[in-house]
Amino acid sequence: GQSILEHNVPSSPFYVIILQGHGTFTDGGGREQAVGPNMLLTFDPGENHSVFTTDEDLIFLGILHAVSSARPGVVGGEMARED
């Protein structure tokens, strides 16, 4: 299987949409949640989380708000590119 070690997003909520496959997300308190397609997970700013799978690919989309410390006053994306 594959895994992403415990980490967090310090200044943004983190939303995860499971697109394909099955796996297990673990929150900072060690609680495990089995996940599968079409599930939505939400993590508070700074909340630790990790994910692992045992025998299949897990495809998910992670969404977070703009991280203010990355580029102050700038929203990401091609249209917001600084000259």
Side-chain angles (χ1 to χ4, degrees):
Q2 298 180 354
S3 64
I4 299 175
L5 299 177
E6 186 172 288
H7 62 284
N8 67 61
V9 180
S11 59
S12 173
F14 183 52
Y15 305 96
V16 178
I17 302 169
I18 308 300
L19 301 175
Q20 180 180 321
H22 294 85
T24 302
F25 269 80
T26 304
D27 68 12
R31 292 179 298 268
E32 293 186 349
Q33 172 68 50
V35 298
N38 303 316
M39 291 184 74
L40 170 67
L41 305 172
T42 61
F43 296 95
D44 291 327
E47 183 178 358
N48 288 342
H49 55 277
S50 60
V51 62
F52 67 90
T53 64
T54 54
D55 60 359
E56 65 179 302
D57 290 339
L58 177 65
I59 299 172
F60 61 90
L61 173 65
I63 302 168
L64 46 101
H65 291 261
V67 179
S68 60
S69 63
R71 292 174 44 190
V74 177
V75 177
E78 187 66 28
M79 292 177 63
R81 177 170 281 167
E82 292 180 68
D83 291 329

